[in-house]
Amino acid sequence: MRAIRVAPLALLGAGALTLLAPSAAFAAPGGASSTFNPTITPSVIAPGGRVTLGAGGCTGETTVSSGIFDTATIPSGSTTATATVDSDARRGAVYAVTFTCGSTGTSRNVNLTITGGATSSPTLTPTPTTVPTASSTALVPGGVRGGLGGSSGTTDTVEVAAGGALVVAAASGALYFARRRNADRRH
């Protein structure tokens, strides 16, 4: 009979451990949260144009690679570098550009779109990290990078606390109804 009372607590502990372990495994070195936020300016460009590559939040050397320009390196202590888009880039295509921060080993992808015509002036807004959908324009094939598939994004304390609260609420509700059901059977 005592084992039945302990089982919900064991499940609650296992649930909490399941929620907290991934956030600890993907935390940045030294306990700091990862703020690596790469950008490409402009995010839409004509073939042969120059783009500015930004590596905000990376304290080490950043390597930037894509099938649309030569691999570029943003040195430690600098936050930007420039690259020239290949003149034979396919108009209307979306290319994935991979930024790898050397100090944390974090990799992020940013999309670069090639325009159908000439651009009159560059767009100065940073491009957020996005995942292309089936409805977006054609992507240039370049293989798939293995990894966690986006499941290891940054996790903050609020998300962990909210997840823990949901687990506690679900376990408490299940325990309440299980005890209530047992009490009804006794009468």
Coordinates of all heavy atoms in Angstrom, one line a residue, residues 35-103:
T35 N 23.6 34.3 -26.4 CA 23.0 35.5 -27.1 C 23.5 35.6 -28.5 O 23.4 36.7 -29.1 CB 23.3 36.8 -26.3 OG1 24.7 36.9 -26.2 CG2 22.7 36.8 -24.9
F36 N 24.0 34.5 -29.1 CA 24.5 34.6 -30.4 C 23.3 34.8 -31.4 O 22.4 34.0 -31.5 CB 25.2 33.2 -30.7 CG 25.8 33.1 -32.1 CD1 26.5 34.1 -32.6 CD2 25.6 32.0 -32.9 CE1 27.1 34.0 -33.9 CE2 26.2 31.8 -34.1 CZ 26.9 32.9 -34.6
N37 N 23.4 35.9 -32.1 CA 22.3 36.3 -33.0 C 22.9 36.8 -34.3 O 23.2 38.0 -34.5 CB 21.5 37.4 -32.4 CG 20.3 37.8 -33.2 OD1 19.8 36.9 -34.0 ND2 19.8 39.0 -33.1
P38 N 23.2 35.9 -35.3 CA 23.8 36.3 -36.6 C 22.8 37.1 -37.5 O 21.6 36.9 -37.4 CB 24.2 35.0 -37.2 CG 23.3 34.0 -36.6 CD 23.0 34.5 -35.2
T39 N 23.4 38.0 -38.3 CA 22.5 38.8 -39.2 C 23.2 38.9 -40.6 O 24.4 38.8 -40.7 CB 22.3 40.2 -38.7 OG1 23.5 40.8 -38.5 CG2 21.5 40.2 -37.4
I40 N 22.4 39.1 -41.6 CA 22.9 39.4 -42.9 C 22.2 40.7 -43.4 O 21.0 40.8 -43.3 CB 22.6 38.3 -43.9 CG1 23.2 37.0 -43.5 CG2 23.0 38.7 -45.3 CD1 22.9 35.8 -44.4
T41 N 23.0 41.7 -43.8 CA 22.4 43.0 -44.3 C 23.0 43.3 -45.6 O 24.2 43.3 -45.8 CB 22.8 44.1 -43.3 OG1 22.4 43.7 -42.0 CG2 22.1 45.4 -43.7
P42 N 22.2 43.5 -46.6 CA 20.8 43.3 -46.7 C 20.4 41.8 -46.8 O 21.2 41.0 -47.2 CB 20.4 44.1 -47.9 CG 21.6 44.0 -48.8 CD 22.8 44.0 -47.9
S43 N 19.2 41.5 -46.5 CA 18.7 40.2 -46.5 C 18.2 39.7 -47.9 O 18.0 38.6 -48.1 CB 17.6 39.9 -45.5 OG 16.5 40.8 -45.8
V44 N 18.0 40.7 -48.7 CA 17.6 40.5 -50.1 C 18.6 41.2 -51.0 O 18.8 42.4 -50.8 CB 16.2 41.0 -50.4 CG1 15.8 40.8 -51.9 CG2 15.2 40.3 -49.5
I45 N 19.3 40.5 -51.9 CA 20.3 41.2 -52.7 C 20.4 40.6 -54.1 O 19.9 39.5 -54.4 CB 21.7 41.0 -52.0 CG1 22.8 41.8 -52.7 CG2 22.1 39.5 -52.0 CD1 23.7 42.4 -51.7
A46 N 20.9 41.4 -55.1 CA 21.1 40.9 -56.4 C 22.4 40.1 -56.6 O 23.3 40.3 -55.8 CB 21.1 42.1 -57.4
P47 N 22.5 39.2 -57.6 CA 23.8 38.5 -57.8 C 24.9 39.5 -58.0 O 24.8 40.5 -58.6 CB 23.5 37.7 -59.1 CG 22.0 37.6 -59.1 CD 21.5 38.8 -58.5
G48 N 26.1 39.2 -57.4 CA 27.2 40.1 -57.5 C 27.3 41.1 -56.4 O 28.3 41.9 -56.3
G49 N 26.2 41.3 -55.6 CA 26.2 42.3 -54.6 C 27.0 41.9 -53.3 O 27.4 40.8 -53.2
R50 N 27.3 42.9 -52.5 CA 28.0 42.7 -51.2 C 27.1 42.7 -50.0 O 26.2 43.6 -49.9 CB 29.1 43.8 -51.1 CG 30.2 43.6 -52.1 CD 31.3 44.6 -51.9 NE 32.1 44.5 -50.6 CZ 33.1 43.6 -50.4 NH1 33.4 42.8 -51.4 NH2 33.7 43.6 -49.3
V51 N 27.3 41.8 -49.1 CA 26.5 41.7 -47.9 C 27.4 41.9 -46.7 O 28.6 41.5 -46.8 CB 25.7 40.3 -47.8 CG1 24.7 40.2 -48.9 CG2 26.7 39.2 -47.9
T52 N 26.8 42.4 -45.6 CA 27.5 42.5 -44.4 C 27.0 41.4 -43.5 O 25.8 41.2 -43.3 CB 27.2 43.9 -43.7 OG1 27.7 44.9 -44.6 CG2 28.0 44.0 -42.4
L53 N 28.0 40.6 -43.0 CA 27.7 39.5 -42.1 C 27.9 39.9 -40.6 O 29.0 40.4 -40.3 CB 28.6 38.3 -42.5 CG 28.6 37.9 -44.0 CD1 29.7 37.0 -44.3 CD2 27.2 37.4 -44.3
G54 N 26.9 39.8 -39.8 CA 27.1 40.2 -38.4 C 27.1 39.0 -37.5 O 26.3 38.0 -37.7
A55 N 27.9 39.0 -36.4 CA 28.0 37.9 -35.5 C 27.8 38.4 -34.1 O 28.6 38.2 -33.2 CB 29.3 37.2 -35.6
G56 N 26.7 39.1 -33.9 CA 26.4 39.7 -32.5 C 26.3 38.6 -31.5 O 25.6 37.6 -31.7
G57 N 26.9 38.8 -30.4 CA 26.8 37.8 -29.3 C 27.9 36.8 -29.2 O 28.0 36.0 -28.3
C58 N 28.7 36.7 -30.3 CA 29.8 35.7 -30.3 C 31.1 36.4 -29.9 O 31.5 37.4 -30.6 CB 29.9 35.1 -31.7 SG 31.2 33.8 -31.8
T59 N 31.8 35.9 -28.9 CA 33.0 36.5 -28.4 C 34.2 36.0 -29.1 O 35.3 36.6 -29.0 CB 33.1 36.4 -26.9 OG1 33.1 35.0 -26.6 CG2 32.0 37.1 -26.2
G60 N 34.1 34.9 -29.8 CA 35.2 34.3 -30.5 C 35.1 34.5 -32.0 O 34.4 35.3 -32.5
E61 N 35.9 33.7 -32.7 CA 35.9 33.8 -34.2 C 34.7 33.1 -34.7 O 34.3 32.1 -34.2 CB 37.2 33.1 -34.7 CG 37.3 33.1 -36.2 CD 38.6 32.5 -36.6 OE1 39.7 33.2 -36.6 OE2 38.6 31.3 -37.0
T62 N 34.0 33.7 -35.7 CA 32.8 33.2 -36.3 C 33.1 32.8 -37.7 O 33.7 33.6 -38.5 CB 31.7 34.2 -36.2 OG1 31.5 34.6 -34.9 CG2 30.4 33.6 -36.8
T63 N 32.7 31.6 -38.1 CA 32.9 31.1 -39.5 C 31.5 31.2 -40.2 O 30.6 30.7 -39.6 CB 33.4 29.7 -39.5 OG1 34.7 29.6 -38.8 CG2 33.7 29.2 -40.9
V64 N 31.5 31.8 -41.4 CA 30.2 31.9 -42.1 C 30.4 31.2 -43.4 O 31.3 31.5 -44.2 CB 29.9 33.4 -42.4 CG1 28.6 33.5 -43.0 CG2 30.0 34.2 -41.1
S65 N 29.5 30.2 -43.7 CA 29.6 29.4 -44.9 C 28.3 29.4 -45.6 O 27.2 29.4 -45.0 CB 30.1 28.0 -44.6 OG 29.2 27.4 -43.7
S66 N 28.3 29.3 -47.0 CA 27.1 29.2 -47.8 C 27.6 28.8 -49.2 O 28.7 29.0 -49.6 CB 26.4 30.5 -47.8 OG 25.3 30.4 -48.7
G67 N 26.6 28.3 -49.9 CA 26.9 27.9 -51.3 C 26.9 29.1 -52.3 O 27.1 29.0 -53.4
I68 N 26.6 30.3 -51.7 CA 26.4 31.5 -52.6 C 27.6 32.4 -52.5 O 27.7 33.3 -53.3 CB 25.1 32.2 -52.1 CG1 24.7 33.2 -53.2 CG2 25.2 32.8 -50.8 CD1 24.4 32.6 -54.5
F69 N 28.5 32.2 -51.5 CA 29.8 33.0 -51.5 C 30.8 32.2 -50.8 O 30.6 31.2 -50.2 CB 29.6 34.4 -50.8 CG 29.0 34.3 -49.4 CD1 29.7 33.9 -48.3 CD2 27.6 34.6 -49.2 CE1 29.1 33.9 -47.0 CE2 27.0 34.5 -48.0 CZ 27.8 34.2 -46.9
D70 N 32.1 32.7 -50.9 CA 33.2 32.0 -50.3 C 33.1 32.0 -48.8 O 32.5 33.0 -48.3 CB 34.5 32.6 -50.7 CG 34.8 32.4 -52.2 OD1 34.3 31.5 -52.8 OD2 35.6 33.3 -52.8
T71 N 33.6 31.0 -48.1 CA 33.6 31.0 -46.7 C 34.3 32.2 -46.1 O 35.4 32.6 -46.5 CB 34.2 29.7 -46.1 OG1 33.5 28.6 -46.6 CG2 34.2 29.7 -44.6
A72 N 33.6 32.9 -45.2 CA 34.1 34.1 -44.6 C 34.4 33.9 -43.1 O 33.7 33.0 -42.5 CB 33.1 35.3 -44.7
T73 N 35.3 34.6 -42.5 CA 35.6 34.5 -41.1 C 35.5 35.9 -40.5 O 36.0 36.9 -41.0 CB 37.1 34.0 -40.9 OG1 37.2 32.7 -41.5 CG2 37.4 33.9 -39.4
I74 N 34.7 36.0 -39.4 CA 34.6 37.2 -38.6 C 35.6 37.0 -37.4 O 35.3 36.2 -36.6 CB 33.2 37.4 -38.1 CG1 32.2 37.5 -39.3 CG2 33.1 38.7 -37.3 CD1 30.8 37.6 -39.0
P75 N 36.7 37.8 -37.4 CA 37.7 37.6 -36.4 C 37.2 37.9 -35.0 O 36.2 38.6 -34.8 CB 38.8 38.5 -36.8 CG 38.3 39.3 -37.9 CD 37.0 38.8 -38.3
S76 N 37.8 37.3 -34.0 CA 37.5 37.6 -32.6 C 37.7 39.0 -32.3 O 38.7 39.6 -32.7 CB 38.4 36.7 -31.7 OG 38.1 36.9 -30.3
G77 N 36.8 39.7 -31.6 CA 36.9 41.1 -31.3 C 36.2 42.0 -32.3 O 36.0 43.1 -32.1
S78 N 35.8 41.4 -33.5 CA 35.0 42.1 -34.5 C 33.6 41.5 -34.5 O 33.4 40.4 -34.2 CB 35.7 42.0 -35.8 OG 35.0 42.6 -36.8
T79 N 32.7 42.3 -35.0 CA 31.3 41.8 -35.1 C 30.8 41.7 -36.5 O 29.7 41.2 -36.7 CB 30.3 42.8 -34.3 OG1 30.4 44.1 -34.8 CG2 30.7 42.7 -32.8
T80 N 31.6 42.2 -37.5 CA 31.1 42.1 -38.9 C 32.2 41.8 -39.8 O 33.4 41.9 -39.5 CB 30.5 43.5 -39.3 OG1 31.5 44.5 -39.3 CG2 29.3 43.9 -38.5
A81 N 31.8 41.3 -41.0 CA 32.7 41.1 -42.1 C 31.8 41.2 -43.4 O 30.6 41.3 -43.3 CB 33.3 39.7 -42.1
T82 N 32.4 41.3 -44.5 CA 31.7 41.4 -45.8 C 32.0 40.3 -46.7 O 33.0 39.6 -46.6 CB 32.0 42.7 -46.5 OG1 33.4 42.8 -46.8 CG2 31.6 44.0 -45.7
A83 N 31.0 40.0 -47.6 CA 31.2 38.9 -48.5 C 30.5 39.3 -49.8 O 29.5 40.1 -49.8 CB 30.6 37.6 -48.0
T84 N 31.0 38.9 -51.0 CA 30.4 39.2 -52.3 C 29.7 37.9 -52.8 O 30.2 36.8 -52.8 CB 31.5 39.5 -53.3 OG1 32.3 40.6 -52.8 CG2 30.9 39.9 -54.6
V85 N 28.4 38.2 -53.1 CA 27.5 37.1 -53.6 C 28.0 36.7 -55.0 O 28.3 37.6 -55.8 CB 26.1 37.6 -53.6 CG1 25.2 36.5 -54.2 CG2 25.6 37.9 -52.2
D86 N 28.0 35.4 -55.3 CA 28.4 34.9 -56.6 C 27.5 35.6 -57.7 O 26.3 35.7 -57.5 CB 28.3 33.4 -56.7 CG 29.3 32.7 -55.8 OD1 30.3 33.4 -55.4 OD2 29.1 31.5 -55.5
S87 N 28.2 36.0 -58.8 CA 27.4 36.6 -59.9 C 26.5 35.6 -60.6 O 25.6 36.0 -61.3 CB 28.4 37.3 -60.9 OG 29.3 36.3 -61.4
D88 N 26.7 34.3 -60.4 CA 25.9 33.3 -61.1 C 24.8 32.8 -60.1 O 24.2 31.7 -60.4 CB 26.7 32.2 -61.6 CG 27.5 31.4 -60.6 OD1 27.6 31.9 -59.4 OD2 28.0 30.3 -60.9
A89 N 24.5 33.5 -59.1 CA 23.4 33.1 -58.1 C 22.1 33.1 -58.9 O 21.8 34.0 -59.7 CB 23.4 34.1 -57.0
R90 N 21.3 32.1 -58.5 CA 20.0 32.0 -59.2 C 19.0 33.0 -58.6 O 18.8 33.0 -57.4 CB 19.5 30.5 -58.9 CG 18.3 30.2 -59.9 CD 18.0 28.7 -59.8 NE 17.3 28.5 -58.5 CZ 17.4 27.3 -57.9 NH1 18.1 26.3 -58.4 NH2 16.8 27.2 -56.7
R91 N 18.5 33.8 -59.5 CA 17.5 34.8 -59.1 C 16.2 34.2 -58.6 O 15.7 33.2 -59.1 CB 17.2 35.7 -60.3 CG 18.4 36.5 -60.7 CD 18.0 37.5 -61.9 NE 19.1 38.3 -62.3 CZ 19.5 39.4 -61.7 NH1 18.8 39.9 -60.7 NH2 20.6 40.1 -62.2
G92 N 15.7 34.8 -57.5 CA 14.5 34.3 -56.8 C 14.8 33.1 -55.8 O 13.9 32.7 -55.2
A93 N 16.0 32.7 -55.7 CA 16.3 31.6 -54.8 C 16.6 32.1 -53.4 O 17.0 33.2 -53.2 CB 17.6 30.8 -55.3
V94 N 16.4 31.2 -52.4 CA 16.7 31.5 -51.0 C 17.9 30.5 -50.6 O 17.8 29.3 -50.8 CB 15.5 31.2 -50.1 CG1 15.9 31.5 -48.7 CG2 14.4 32.1 -50.5
Y95 N 19.0 31.1 -50.2 CA 20.1 30.4 -49.8 C 20.3 30.4 -48.3 O 20.1 31.4 -47.6 CB 21.4 30.9 -50.4 CG 21.5 30.8 -51.9 CD1 20.9 31.7 -52.7 CD2 22.1 29.7 -52.4 CE1 21.0 31.5 -54.1 CE2 22.2 29.5 -53.8 CZ 21.6 30.4 -54.6 OH 21.7 30.3 -56.0
A96 N 20.6 29.2 -47.7 CA 20.9 29.2 -46.2 C 22.3 29.5 -46.0 O 23.2 29.0 -46.6 CB 20.6 27.7 -45.7
V97 N 22.5 30.4 -45.0 CA 23.9 30.9 -44.7 C 24.1 30.4 -43.2 O 23.3 30.7 -42.3 CB 24.0 32.4 -44.8 CG1 25.4 32.8 -44.3 CG2 23.7 32.9 -46.2
T98 N 25.2 29.6 -43.0 CA 25.4 29.0 -41.7 C 26.5 29.8 -40.9 O 27.6 30.0 -41.5 CB 25.9 27.6 -41.8 OG1 24.8 26.9 -42.5 CG2 26.1 26.9 -40.4
F99 N 26.2 30.3 -39.7 CA 27.1 31.0 -38.9 C 27.5 30.0 -37.7 O 26.6 29.5 -37.1 CB 26.5 32.2 -38.3 CG 26.2 33.4 -39.2 CD1 25.1 33.3 -40.1 CD2 27.0 34.5 -39.2 CE1 24.8 34.3 -41.0 CE2 26.7 35.5 -40.1 CZ 25.7 35.4 -41.0
T100 N 28.8 29.9 -37.5 CA 29.3 29.0 -36.4 C 30.2 29.8 -35.5 O 31.2 30.3 -35.9 CB 30.0 27.8 -37.0 OG1 29.2 27.1 -37.9 CG2 30.4 26.8 -35.8
C101 N 29.7 30.0 -34.3 CA 30.5 30.8 -33.3 C 31.5 29.8 -32.7 O 31.2 28.8 -32.1 CB 29.5 31.3 -32.2 SG 30.4 32.2 -30.9
G102 N 32.8 30.2 -32.8 CA 33.9 29.4 -32.3 C 34.0 29.3 -30.8 O 34.4 28.3 -30.3
S103 N 33.6 30.3 -30.1 CA 33.7 30.3 -28.6 C 32.7 29.4 -28.0 O 33.0 28.8 -26.9 CB 33.6 31.7 -28.1 OG 32.4 32.3 -28.3

